[in-house]
């Protein structure tokens, strides 16, 4: 019984949730959007465990263009910060594209760290 409990504790420790600060500028983001963002950013931790935390800024552009949702994501690693910004029709799309750009940066960053 102790072994089962111990394995569960170890698995829970590995599945830590990264601390993300989300700021929606001049509007209130709903709970579903916040959870969506958290899931997307948590996936970055699968590529590199040196991610310490991050910040997400959501902003509406005042332009009359349909692509007026902006997501900026900055993540802190042990050796520096990584940043991506995208402007799309929806916040979900902007967050997804920013997270994809960051995943490429994280992979390159990890390779660079291993090379040194």
């Amino acid at each position: 019984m102790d072994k089962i409990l111990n394995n569960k504790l170890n698995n829970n420790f590995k599945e830590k949730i990264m601390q993300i600060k989300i700021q929606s500028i001049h509007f209130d983001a709903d709970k579903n959007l916040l959870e969506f963002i958290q899931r997307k950013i948590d996936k970055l931790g699968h590529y590199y465990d040196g991610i310490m935390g991050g910040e997400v800024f959501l902003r509406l552009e005042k332009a009359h263009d349909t692509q007026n949702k902006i997501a900026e994501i900055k993540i802190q690693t042990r050796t520096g910060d990584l940043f991506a910004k995208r402007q799309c029709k929806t916040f979900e799309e902007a967050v997804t594209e920013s997270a994809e750009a960051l995943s490429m940066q994280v992979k390159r960053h990890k390779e660079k760290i291993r090379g040194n």
Side-chain angles (χ1 to χ4, degrees):
M1 182 155 176
D2 288 338
K3 190 173 187 180
I4 293 170
L5 180 61
N6 219 5
N7 286 339
K8 285 183 180 179
L9 289 174
N10 287 338
N11 287 338
N12 287 339
F13 181 75
K14 290 177 187 175
E15 296 173 11
K16 69 175 185 171
I17 294 177
M18 194 182 319
Q19 292 293 351
I20 302 297
K21 181 193 261 187
I22 302 171
Q23 295 183 15
S24 51
I25 302 168
H26 300 299
F27 75 98
D28 292 326
D30 67 350
K31 182 180 175 184
N32 292 334
L33 179 58
L34 298 176
E35 290 172 353
F36 176 82
I37 293 168
Q38 185 70 48
R39 284 192 308 271
K40 287 291 184 181
I41 303 302
D42 284 344
K43 286 182 182 179
L44 294 173
H46 294 295
Y47 301 115
Y48 179 54
D49 63 353
I51 299 173
M52 309 307 291
E55 294 179 293
V56 178
F57 298 94
L58 303 173
R59 195 171 74 239
L60 286 167
E61 181 98 351
K62 290 187 180 182
H64 298 288
D65 188 13
T66 58
Q67 292 192 344
N68 64 342
K69 286 27 171 227
I70 300 171
E72 299 177 10
I73 303 174
K74 181 173 85 171
I75 57 173
Q76 294 91 25
T77 67
R78 293 180 191 141
T79 56
D81 294 346
L82 302 173
F83 179 81
K85 175 182 175 181
R86 295 293 184 272
Q87 183 169 345
C88 298
K89 290 181 182 179
T90 66
F91 282 117
E92 290 83 0
E93 187 180 354
V95 168
T96 298
E97 288 185 15
S98 296
E100 288 171 359
L102 280 171
S103 71
M104 298 299 288
Q105 290 181 42
V106 166
K107 289 174 186 176
R108 284 192 305 251
H109 183 73
K110 184 178 176 180
E111 290 172 9
K112 183 178 173 183
I113 297 297
R114 282 188 179 171
N116 291 337

